[in-house]
Amino acid sequence: MNNSLLERRHRVIGKGAPLFYDEPLHVVRGDGVWLYDVQGRRYLDAYNNVPVVGHCHPRVVDAIARQASVLNVHTRYLHETVVRYAERLTATFEGLDMAVFTCTGSEANDLALRMARLLTGSEGIICSNNTYHGNTAAVDELSTTFSGGRTGSARVRAVPFPDAYRPLRDLSGAALADACLDEVQACIEHFRNSGIGLAGMLVCPIFANEGLPDVPVGFLERATRVVQEAGGIVIFDEVQSGFGRTGEFWGHSRAGAVPDIVTLGKPMGNGHPIGGVVSRASIVNAFRDRVMYFNTFAGNPVASAAALAVLDVIEDEGLVEHVRETGPQVTQGLRDLMAVHEGIGDVRANGLFWAVELVKDRAARTPAPDRARAVINRMRDHGVLISRLGAHDNVLKIRPPLPFATPHATLLLETLDRSLVETRDA
Ligand code: PMP
């Protein structure tokens, strides 16, 4: 690491600005699933979901460059690419047929909350108890991780996320789903009785930031129905789970739940800033009738060109099918590691997304955050990039760009094996 760059950064950006790894990485180039540091050393990127079709994918780069060299303006003019992207995007959803573009996932969630509150005339939002949905003031009220923490806002109530590993009252299966559903019901009652009223529920359909739990079958579908029947608007945050990550195009596809609004971000432009809200025309039109929502940079021709290229690449390179083929190989490899490493308490998987729970004691499930930190840093030293997540900061978070293939999986698993051995005493 170039210390003078670190010092300069601390001086002008501040020590509080988050940096990965004990020894921060100075990256200068990306290509597919690889990142290169300033010394030319190659790192396998098993962490970043934003470059969903791979770092600097030539088709995305070309689309951005071509459009940037012709025209970039806001969306108050007619533009073919902007409309074509909205058509292509909405065609990937069932029952949701209109898009509103934003620049970030936070803005998308902020807008979704505004829609829900305006259209229901109520304020109460249900979320999970260990989540992150972004950084605007309204969205921050929901977040418990990364941010300033829950604000104690009366208009937000959290339910325990459906966690089969450290479950509510030690329940499992259908009983756990029932208990989690009771919590949702209790929030609805609370909002009703307190006069706050129910605006809706905002959750990630795979509870990614919560730690990628094995969600009890039927929970999401039933929770969605309960909230909708109570007059609330159900928002699924697909910022992490969308665009093929789970082996389905959308993270909620397999849940059987039909949300009213879906929010998008991160992978949408492969790194070029674009996010969005996708909903039914009835909801978007009712909102637009009352609010002049305009977002200067959102969905501009360059952003739309980037996002359109992302859809093309996912389709042409068969990346969703690729996720379905590659995902189980890694999952099996991680389970094999669990058989030899006592420190792995649980392995959870969803497409090309894995959570490896590190524990001090398998039976007691005692979280091992120091070991997790040590493993991540050791893997970085060995040239493989991952991170961690979860309520206890002890869960290895593995979430590579989608072109991640078998040789990359082998390198990931070998490096994890080695790093677990080397951090036994951490
Ligand atoms: N929702 C989820 C589920 C996220 O993980 C994040 C970012 N980590 C966001 C929303 C916020 O997205 P952005 O940083 O683009 O505002």
Side-chain angles (χ1 to χ4, degrees):
M1 177 65 196
N2 177 346
N3 273 324
S4 69
L5 183 59
L6 182 62
E7 282 161 14
R8 280 166 52 211
R9 176 179 155 121
H10 284 343
R11 211 169 302 127
V12 290
I13 298 177
K15 279 193 176 175
L19 266 174
F20 276 145
Y21 307 114
D22 291 348
E23 196 183 332
L25 201 58
H26 180 176
V27 285
V28 293
R29 189 164 75 82
D31 180 13
V33 295
W34 300 100
L35 285 171
Y36 295 81
D37 75 7
V38 69
Q39 274 97 30
R41 183 174 180 208
R42 188 170 87 150
Y43 294 81
L44 176 66
D45 183 358
Y47 172 76
N48 284 297
N49 60 341
V50 172
V52 63
V53 297
H55 289 277
C56 304
H57 193 290
R59 286 179 70 184
V60 181
V61 172
D62 187 51
I64 292 170
R66 264 188 295 127
Q67 187 57 51
S69 69
V70 176
L71 174 75
N72 201 18
V73 282
H74 57 72
T75 50
R76 289 205 225 188
Y77 301 99
L78 287 175
H79 195 279
E80 171 67 28
T81 308
V82 175
V83 175
R84 186 150 26 103
Y85 180 60
E87 288 168 347
R88 285 277 302 280
L89 179 69
T90 52
T92 64
F93 289 91
E94 277 176 32
L96 305 181
D97 48 8
M98 211 173 255
V100 181
F101 295 124
T102 63
C103 298
T104 65
S106 300
E107 285 182 355
N109 283 325
D110 193 271
L111 175 58
L113 291 176
R114 275 181 77 182
M115 287 178 168
R117 286 178 168 143
L118 195 77
L119 299 186
T120 58
S122 294
E123 289 291 308
I125 294 288
I126 301 168
C127 63
S128 102
N129 63 346
N130 188 76
T131 195
Y132 179 79
H133 291 289
N135 54 28
T136 75
V139 177
D140 190 50
E141 288 177 20
L142 280 61
S143 298
T144 37
T145 54
F146 313 139
S147 70
R150 193 173 301 290
T151 59
S153 163
R155 60 183 190 161
V156 169
R157 270 183 96 80
V159 290
F161 71 88
D163 184 4
Y165 187 65
R166 291 191 183 81
L168 204 57
R169 302 198 293 280
D170 280 335
L171 297 167
S172 62
L176 178 59
D178 287 349
C180 291
L181 206 67
D182 288 346
E183 299 276 340
V184 173
Q185 195 70 58
C187 283
I188 295 172
E189 298 300 322
H190 168 83
F191 283 138
R192 242 185 222 143
N193 298 336
S194 61
I196 293 168
L198 176 70
M201 175 174 78
L202 171 51
V203 290
C204 164
I206 64 169
F207 297 91
N209 290 322
E210 286 80 346
L212 202 72
D214 291 324
V215 179
V217 177
F219 168 71
L220 199 60
E221 184 187 5
R222 290 167 69 199
T224 296
R225 213 173 326 118
V226 162
V227 171
Q228 287 169 336
E229 281 170 9
I233 288 183
V234 172
I235 306 159
F236 284 169
D237 177 339
E238 289 263 9
V239 167
Q240 294 236 19
S241 54
F243 295 96
R245 171 67 41 195
T246 63
E248 301 284 342
F249 206 87
W250 300 114
H252 69 274
S253 304
R254 264 176 277 147
V258 184
D260 302 294
I261 297 178
V262 169
T263 57
L264 310 173
K266 285 180 182 282
M268 195 168 176
N270 210 49
H272 196 89
I274 177 166
V277 159
V278 176
S279 185
R280 289 192 296 278
S282 56
I283 290 181
V284 176
N285 288 335
F287 179 76
R288 290 243 192 240
D289 282 348
R290 294 162 70 179
V291 174
M292 201 295 281
Y293 181 84
F294 175 64
N295 188 325
T296 301
F297 298 120
N300 67 43
V302 172
S304 291
L308 198 53
V310 169
L311 287 187
D312 286 340
V313 174
I314 291 176
E315 209 174 292
D316 295 350
E317 296 187 5
L319 288 177
V320 180
E321 296 72 28
H322 170 77
V323 169
R324 285 187 205 155
E325 283 158 22
T326 314
Q329 295 172 22
V330 179
T331 308
Q332 187 53 51
L334 292 171
R335 298 221 161 106
D336 293 345
L337 289 181
M338 186 172 164
V340 291
H341 292 283
E342 249 328 279
I344 300 182
D346 196 24
V347 169
R348 301 185 288 272
N350 201 332
L352 285 198
F353 200 153
W354 298 274
V356 179
E357 181 111 17
L358 298 191
V359 290
K360 292 180 184 156
D361 178 321
R362 229 187 231 179
R365 306 187 175 188
T366 325
D370 294 343
R371 178 99 185 266
R373 181 185 172 143
V375 167
I376 289 160
N377 279 294
R378 193 54 69 100
M379 288 186 73
R380 171 243 183 271
D381 295 342
H382 293 316
V384 177
L385 306 179
I386 64 166
S387 186
R388 59 179 163 160
L389 81 172
H392 310 284
D393 249 354
N394 67 317
V395 182
L396 303 180
K397 176 185 193 179
I398 306 172
R399 193 195 49 181
L402 299 192
F404 192 84
T406 307
H408 312 126
T410 305
L411 178 59
L412 167 77
L413 292 164
E414 283 172 2
T415 310
L416 177 56
D417 187 17
R418 186 176 163 195
S419 302
L420 283 164
V421 170
E422 290 169 355
T423 57
R424 241 178 216 143
D425 302 325

